[in-house]
Amino acid sequence: MTAKLSPTQIAWRAAQDIADGAYVNLGIGFPEMVAKFQPPGRQAIFHTENGILGFGEAPAAGAEDWDLINAGKKAVTLKPGTAFFHHADSFAMVRGGHLDVAILGAYEVAETGDLANWSTGPKGVPAVGGAMDLVHGAKRVAVITDHVTKDGKPKLVKACSLPLTGVGCVTRVYSSLAVIDIEGGRFVLREKLPSLSVGELQSLTGAELLVPVAPADLIVPEL
C-alpha cells in the first residue's frame, strides 16, 4: 500500500478547519490530538463531557494534576475563563445544540453519513461514551481515521456492518489518504495524497467516490 499520513498528521489536517472561537468536542483517544494543532491566530474552546469548557493543552510529564482530566482520563491544564460544571449540565450543552463541532474516531463510515464507532461487534468490548449524544447534538460532525483497517479492508463503506452510533450524522472524513465530504448520500473527494491516483484511492474505498472537480493535493507538514 502507498505511503499514508500518520495519526498526528491527520489530526493536524482536521485542526485546520476549526473556526476561531468554535466550541469543539474531541472524541477519546486519537481525536484528542487535534487540540495540539490550533492554527496561528485561531483558538477553539474545547469541551469535555465530564464537565470542563475551555481547558488548555496537556501538562508536561510530571506536572499533571490528576483532579484535572478530560473524558479520556488525560490530564489537562486550565486557561483563563475555564469553566467547571456538573456532568448533567455538560450533556445539556451537547443535547441543546451548543457545540459547533465534534471530531470523532470511527470503525466504519457509510456514504450516507452513518457512523459506527462504539462496538466492533458481538466479540468487541462496547464503549458508547458520549458519542451517541455528540453525533446528533453537535452542529457539525467530522471523523478522523485510517482509510482502511489493520487487515486492509475499507473503513469507508456503502453501508455499515457494525452497530451504529448515529444515522446520517457525519459530513466530513479526514483519513490517512484523503479528505472526503459526505453530500447527498455520497462520498465526494476533496483532497488526496499527491502520490495516490484516484483509481488507487477508489480501490481502497468501499463505496463510489464522486470527483466533481480535480481534487486538491493533501499536503501536511512532517510532524
Side-chain angles (χ1 to χ4, degrees):
M1 183 175 156
T2 185
K4 63 180 184 178
L5 301 185
S6 69
T8 305
Q9 289 174 313
I10 302 170
W12 178 91
R13 176 61 190 86
Q16 306 314 298
D17 290 343
I18 299 175
D20 184 41
Y23 290 90
V24 182
N25 185 288
L26 303 175
I28 292 171
F30 176 13
E32 291 172 333
M33 289 194 289
V34 173
K36 298 179 182 178
F37 301 113
Q38 292 293 279
R42 279 189 262 165
Q43 181 59 62
I45 302 164
F46 291 108
H47 167 277
T48 179
E49 297 104 294
N50 59 318
I52 314 177
L53 185 69
F55 58 87
E57 62 188 22
E64 299 91 347
D65 178 345
W66 293 108
D67 286 327
L68 303 175
I69 59 172
N70 62 20
K73 301 181 177 61
K74 304 285 188 3
V76 297
T77 56
L78 304 184
K79 300 176 69 174
T82 297
F84 299 93
F85 34 85
H86 191 280
H87 203 92
D89 294 322
S90 181
F91 273 85
M93 293 177 188
V94 175
R95 295 168 181 167
H98 301 291
L99 296 181
D100 296 303
V101 187
I103 300 178
L104 305 173
Y107 296 132
E108 292 178 327
V109 180
E111 64 179 354
T112 53
D114 297 351
L115 172 65
N117 82 340
W118 71 275
S119 173
T120 55
K123 296 182 180 180
V125 178
V128 177
M132 290 185 178
D133 292 281
L134 287 165
V135 295
H136 295 299
K139 295 171 186 173
R140 180 170 77 87
V141 176
V143 159
I144 59 175
T145 182
D146 202 332
H147 202 85
V148 298
T149 65
K150 291 179 180 178
D151 56 1
K153 295 179 181 178
K155 296 183 76 171
L156 278 65
V157 295
K158 192 162 187 66
C160 293
S161 61
L162 296 172
L164 294 183
T165 306
V167 174
C169 53
V170 179
T171 57
R172 173 164 278 204
V173 177
Y174 301 92
S175 87
S176 52
L177 302 178
V179 176
I180 295 170
D181 284 335
I182 296 174
E183 297 178 353
R186 305 291 293 277
F187 288 133
V188 182
L189 180 60
R190 299 301 184 196
E191 302 175 18
K192 66 173 183 63
L193 293 180
S195 60
L196 194 68
S197 72
V198 172
E200 289 170 324
L201 182 63
Q202 180 64 76
S203 71
L204 298 167
T205 307
E208 182 184 1
L209 289 169
L210 292 185
V211 190
V213 295
D217 286 339
L218 175 53
I219 304 294
V220 302
E222 295 291 335
L223 297 168

